[in-house]
Amino acid sequence: MKQDGYLEDAQLRKEILKHLEQDRYRLTKHADEELEKDDLDLNDALHVLKNGKHNHKKTEFNNKHQTWHYAVEGITKDLKKVRVIITFVGLMLIITAMEL
């Protein structure tokens, strides 16, 4: 049983694309640091969000913040496999990203 507010794949994709189109997203300091550490940048994360797939096994409910943290995985333009973790708090927050 999913907690309230959980987005199924089609709705998640729609929300991601809507937030990207409306420029309603932000990168946390942590995400920025993790991207840099893995020699990635914001464009890599955005590419994965636009083209990747929802990984249900890595998606979890964050009790502290009472929000879903969605894992989206995909391949960057230079063929790196990347996971991006996002949540929605009015805008789309890119929590972290990592090369797999």
Side-chain angles (χ1 to χ4, degrees):
M1 172 92 178
K2 302 286 186 199
Q3 278 104 330
D4 285 343
Y6 179 82
L7 300 174
E8 295 295 343
D9 291 3
Q11 187 63 30
L12 176 62
R13 173 156 234 51
K14 193 173 155 190
E15 285 298 310
I16 289 170
L17 294 175
K18 180 178 84 176
H19 282 78
L20 292 175
E21 283 166 17
Q22 295 174 356
D23 220 18
R24 293 184 59 233
Y25 62 89
R26 205 164 56 236
L27 203 60
T28 63
K29 185 175 188 291
H30 175 76
D32 196 36
E33 291 167 353
E34 291 299 306
L35 285 167
E36 193 174 324
K37 192 174 83 181
D38 286 344
D39 197 29
L40 300 164
D41 61 25
L42 177 60
N43 288 326
D44 293 318
L46 298 180
H47 183 79
V48 168
L49 288 172
K50 286 177 192 163
N51 302 291
K53 291 185 66 129
H54 180 198
N55 179 337
H56 297 265
K57 290 186 171 115
K58 296 293 181 180
T59 290
E60 58 190 26
F61 188 76
N62 181 291
N63 284 314
K64 181 181 175 191
H65 296 106
Q66 293 292 300
T67 57
W68 279 98
H69 289 191
Y70 297 94
V72 179
E73 294 178 4
I75 306 293
T76 64
K77 288 179 181 168
D78 54 355
L79 305 179
K80 291 181 178 179
K81 187 168 185 190
V82 172
R83 178 183 302 138
V84 180
I85 307 291
I86 60 168
T87 192
F88 297 96
V89 286
L91 50 78
M92 181 173 69
L93 194 59
I94 300 171
I95 299 168
T96 192
M98 75 242 13
E99 185 173 2
L100 301 174

